[in-house]
Amino acid sequence: MKLPFVSIILATSMLATSASAGCATGAVVGGVVGHFAGHHALVGAAAGCVIGHEMKKRHHHYRRYR
């Protein structure tokens, strides 16, 4: 049971770029939410990756052009 959480923590700590960081953190959050919302962790992780990537891109754009 602890192995998935340890691997998630290690995977998110080894990220190099900000774009992949948005995807990875979104995937982690989406996977957890999907797991508790009816055992749809993979669908939640995929949706979280897309949403996290978009949010990171918007945040970067907002900070750059403001």
Side-chain angles (χ1 to χ4, degrees):
M1 182 66 184
K2 292 181 183 180
L3 184 63
F5 294 115
V6 171
S7 62
I8 289 170
I9 291 170
L10 287 175
T12 56
S13 67
M14 291 187 214
L15 296 172
T17 64
S18 65
S20 64
C23 178
T25 55
V28 169
V29 171
V32 170
V33 170
H35 172 71
F36 287 113
H39 299 290
H40 299 292
L42 293 178
V43 175
C49 180
V50 171
I51 292 169
H53 181 69
E54 276 299 310
M55 296 287 283
K56 195 69 147 178
K57 190 167 69 171
R58 286 182 187 182
H59 178 72
H60 176 69
H61 183 347
Y62 176 75
R63 291 198 46 148
R64 183 174 181 185
Y65 295 112
R66 180 137 200 254

